[in-house]
Amino acid sequence: MVFAGVRELISEQVLRARVAELGEQITADYQGKDLVLLGVLKGCFLFMADLCRQIQLHLSTDFLGVSSYGEGTASSGVIRITSDLSRSVEGRDVLVVEDIVDTGLTMNYLLENLETRRPASLKVCSLLHKPARQIVATPIDYLGFTIEDVFVIGYGLDYQYRFRNLPYIGVLEETP
Ligand code: IMP
Ligand code: MG
């Protein structure tokens, strides 16, 4: 799929290989645990779908809807839960699945919020990390790729509600 004005940063093939590695690692680490994959919507949906199929465990899945951005590409720092978990995570092993940790504000808020629900363990799996823009340091236990300070789209990530369906991670080129 070719989109005009989009430069490919991480190809489908590279994404697939890395997601498989993450799945293997998580499979090894969560043996005998009550794993709940907790996807952060909406950006996680493709990553979550691919990752969960690479984990060879009887896991369960749930989702949290979070909104942190307005229309622009800069973090507003204002986080809003738009849809809550459907089931309690008390005593269960929660792995938060995110598309990207940018400023860290969203993840920091989520971890504080989830901690109050008393999970047996709480860890983070993020496909991408943009350390250049970090405001709050948050742990990332499983990380797909570290990227430069560029605004990325595709594989679940949007720019103004579009581009989530790109099968790869891309960068919007500046239009003159
Ligand atoms: P943070 O709170 O600044 O860490 O941002 C977290 C959320 O902002 C992510 O879950 C994304 O939904 C969104 N976001 C951050 N950087 C990008 C980007 O480069 N492209 C698309 N969405 C982004
Ligand atoms: Mg997100």
Side-chain angles (χ1 to χ4, degrees):
M1 199 186 313
V2 179
F3 278 78
V6 179
R7 174 169 59 84
E8 184 178 279
L9 187 70
I10 307 172
S11 71
E12 261 188 280
Q13 200 188 355
V14 171
L15 283 171
R16 200 178 308 120
R18 186 70 187 121
V19 171
E21 285 174 358
L22 291 172
E24 262 180 50
Q25 226 180 311
I26 293 165
T27 302
D29 294 353
Y30 282 86
Q31 294 291 324
K33 307 254 183 187
D34 185 9
L35 174 59
V36 185
L37 279 189
L38 192 62
V40 183
L41 293 171
K42 302 193 263 298
C44 78
F45 81 114
L46 291 180
F47 178 42
M48 177 87 164
D50 288 343
L51 181 69
C52 72
R53 285 178 288 182
Q54 299 296 331
I55 301 173
Q56 313 296 321
L57 292 170
H58 292 291
L59 54 79
S60 59
T61 53
D62 208 342
F63 296 91
L64 258 176
V66 162
S67 178
S68 64
Y69 275 6
E71 301 276 318
T73 60
S75 182
S76 62
V78 179
I79 288 102
R80 198 161 55 93
I81 290 192
T82 55
S83 161
D84 207 347
L85 300 178
S86 57
R87 195 175 156 217
S88 162
V89 291
E90 187 168 348
R92 301 162 74 202
D93 296 289
V94 174
L95 180 57
V96 180
V97 178
E98 247 294 26
D99 50 1
I100 184 166
V101 175
D102 184 21
T103 62
L105 292 169
T106 304
M107 190 52 75
N108 187 56
Y109 173 85
L110 282 180
L111 292 176
E112 277 180 9
N113 180 298
L114 290 168
E115 205 62 77
T116 67
R117 306 177 193 216
R118 291 178 297 179
S121 69
L122 181 57
K123 289 194 170 176
V124 174
C125 176
S126 182
L127 179 67
L128 305 172
H129 183 213
K130 225 191 271 181
R133 291 177 34 92
Q134 181 176 297
I135 292 174
V136 199
T138 58
I140 304 177
D141 304 279
Y142 303 92
L143 175 63
F145 306 90
T146 298
I147 60 166
E148 301 287 294
D149 186 9
V150 285
F151 192 82
V152 288
I153 50 167
Y155 199 62
L157 292 132
D158 76 310
Y159 171 61
Q160 296 187 354
Y161 310 106
R162 295 185 199 274
F163 302 107
R164 291 195 198 272
N165 60 321
L166 247 72
Y168 51 86
I169 299 282
V171 179
L172 276 182
E173 313 260 52
E174 293 286 327
T175 41

